[in-house]
Amino acid sequence: MSKNRENISRIKKRKKRSKKKLLFFLIIPLSLLLVATVSYGAHVYNTAQEAANKSFEKVGRDGEKSALRDESVTPIDDNVSVLIIGVDDSETRHEGSGRSDALMLATFNKQEKDVNILSIPRDSYVNVPDYGYTKINHAHAYGGPSKTIDTVESFLNVPVDYYVRLNFEAFIEIVDTIGGIQYDVPFEMSELDSNDNKDAIHLMPGYQNLNGEEALALARTRKYDNDFERGKRQQEIIKTIIKETASASSILKLDELINAVGDNMSTNLTFDEMKSFMSYGLNTDLAINTINIDGQGGKMPDGIWYYQVDEQSRMEVENKLREHLDLPASSETNYEFTQEGNDKEVQDSNSY
């Protein structure tokens, strides 16, 4: 009996040792994985914070608040808007501040957990405060993000709470970092690249992987359709990039993405405010709704081609965006398109 008890005792001890060994070998890889994850997370966090601090740039408004707001708002507690300014700042084409080549106003609604994105045609004929009526993309050349914000607010009567200004290099690097984007090219096209090399980009129609230069050329071209279709195409490309950057395969490239953006961006969003947008990014059912503004293009008496926005469409867009921001609808206004104030016309490049 005693021998049996001893054997049973030895077996129990061996089992305990085996369990400890198993637990030990499980803890080691799990601990290493945890340490690696935390270290990577800390690295990305620090990288993001440095990039945000480096790119921070105030607008210069009273209290840094939109004049169309009664009080200050934050993305942590409120529905807010962000103006996305894509800028062509090539030194070979422009001196000083570059023109805005893409303008999108995004509104974020915390209750609905969705985003509305309006694409504003770059040739829209609008009043640029202090400069008169001209193309909306000239506002940035006149006064950078601040003047662009003033112009968009004057045009739409919708507050612009924040802005993000990106140049073409940021766009190219983001797309290349995530390995390109899958996109259905609607037509055969030959275009300049970002360095103005003629016909450097040649795409055939069809679903394919586009690198940064190719995606940029497709987003910018307007030789094959019009400014309205171009805006819709830019919205779809942005949505594709957002979807891809949120994929699991892109998570380990976060530091590269942050560096790509940080070196080529300016914004009045602080790092804490940027982090507060995570509630949208972590929502797997996030709806991104695209909005467009109707109008027609043509030459005006000065011989320059403009996109003349339809006033009824403009008002509908205005009220839709205001409602999304939980602001009261505007009373009926009449945004007049009169030929005046073009003595400070900025010369357009024939490219794109």
Side-chain angles (χ1 to χ4, degrees):
M1 286 289 286
S2 61
K3 285 186 178 180
N4 285 338
R5 287 198 186 111
E6 287 178 14
N7 288 336
I8 291 171
S9 178
R10 278 196 294 268
I11 291 169
K12 284 183 178 179
K13 286 180 181 178
R14 278 200 297 268
K15 283 184 177 179
K16 283 183 180 179
R17 282 197 297 268
S18 296
K19 284 182 180 179
K20 286 180 180 178
K21 276 187 178 180
L22 179 61
L23 189 60
F24 180 74
F25 284 115
L26 280 173
I27 287 173
I28 288 177
L30 287 173
S31 298
L32 289 174
L33 182 61
L34 180 62
V35 170
T37 303
V38 171
S39 297
Y40 179 72
H43 168 67
V44 170
Y45 186 92
N46 291 333
T47 301
Q49 189 167 30
E50 288 176 13
N53 292 340
K54 186 167 63 173
S55 61
F56 181 75
E57 189 175 301
K58 291 183 178 180
V59 177
R61 302 183 288 192
D62 288 341
E64 287 299 303
K65 175 184 73 68
S66 168
L68 298 179
R69 292 281 196 184
D70 293 331
E71 53 188 34
S72 298
V73 294
T74 70
I76 300 171
D77 304 310
D78 307 294
N79 302 331
V80 298
S81 65
V82 179
L83 183 64
I84 302 165
I85 310 171
V87 176
D88 176 5
D89 56 6
S90 169
E91 293 180 1
T92 62
R93 285 191 290 273
H94 310 290
E95 295 180 4
S97 297
R99 296 168 303 160
S100 57
D101 197 73
L103 270 181
M104 295 184 186
L105 182 60
T107 56
F108 295 77
N109 187 286
K110 292 188 73 67
Q111 291 74 38
E112 299 296 329
K113 294 293 182 186
D114 65 353
V115 183
N116 284 346
I117 299 180
L118 166 69
S119 180
I120 305 173
R122 52 169 269 169
D123 290 335
S124 296
Y125 185 63
V126 305
N127 179 37
V128 178
D130 303 321
Y131 289 88
Y133 283 78
T134 184
K135 296 183 180 183
I136 198 168
N137 71 327
H138 294 164
H140 191 272
Y142 293 145
S146 178
K147 183 58 65 178
T148 304
I149 290 170
D150 289 346
T151 302
V152 170
E153 288 191 334
S154 171
F155 173 49
L156 291 174
N157 193 32
V158 174
V160 175
D161 301 310
Y162 301 99
Y163 81 91
V164 176
R165 176 194 182 277
L166 294 165
N167 62 24
F168 291 163
E169 191 61 34
F171 182 94
I172 292 169
E173 287 192 31
I174 289 169
V175 174
D176 286 340
T177 298
I178 61 178
I181 60 170
Q182 293 292 319
Y183 197 84
D184 189 6
V185 178
F187 39 65
E188 181 180 1
M189 57 169 278
S190 293
E191 272 294 1
L192 307 175
D193 62 13
S194 61
N195 294 314
D196 289 339
N197 295 310
K198 189 176 180 181
D199 295 332
I201 307 297
H202 183 216
L203 297 175
M204 298 298 291
Y207 196 70
Q208 56 198 282
N209 185 271
L210 303 179
N211 63 28
E213 283 280 5
E214 292 166 339
L216 177 64
L218 181 61
R220 296 191 69 200
T221 189
R222 52 181 179 163
K223 294 192 304 190
Y224 302 93
D225 41 30
N226 53 53
D227 218 24
F228 183 79
E229 292 300 322
R230 178 179 185 263
K232 290 167 63 177
R233 194 166 60 248
Q234 288 176 348
Q235 289 172 324
E236 290 305 312
I237 289 173
I238 291 296
K239 285 169 68 175
T240 302
I241 293 172
I242 291 172
K243 183 179 177 181
E244 183 56 39
T245 52
S247 68
S249 61
S250 296
I251 295 301
L252 294 177
K253 300 174 182 175
L254 276 175
D255 54 342
E256 295 176 55
L257 285 167
I258 292 166
N259 284 325
V261 173
D263 292 340
N264 300 283
M265 176 181 79
S266 64
T267 180
N268 63 336
L269 281 161
T270 65
F271 184 56
D272 285 339
E273 287 169 335
M274 289 182 189
K275 287 188 295 180
S276 66
F277 282 98
M278 282 184 65
S279 60
Y280 294 94
L282 295 175
N283 179 13
T284 55
D285 297 322
L286 177 68
I288 301 177
N289 311 306
T290 55
I291 303 173
N292 292 285
I293 194 163
D294 296 333
Q296 60 183 6
K299 288 187 177 181
M300 294 186 72
D302 61 2
I304 297 173
W305 196 98
Y306 298 95
Y307 185 79
Q308 298 178 64
V309 172
D310 177 79
E311 172 59 14
Q312 183 61 38
S313 177
R314 189 204 65 78
M315 283 192 61
E316 290 172 0
V317 167
E318 172 186 335
N319 285 323
K320 186 168 187 176
L321 294 177
R322 288 182 65 88
E323 180 183 0
H324 200 236
L325 292 172
D326 200 24
L327 294 171
S330 300
S331 57
E332 226 175 281
T333 56
N334 186 18
Y335 192 88
E336 296 180 2
F337 297 94
T338 56
Q339 184 70 29
E340 61 178 343
N342 277 323
D343 54 321
K344 297 180 182 179
E345 177 71 24
V346 175
Q347 292 301 313
D348 270 331
S349 165
N350 291 326
S351 62
Y352 299 101

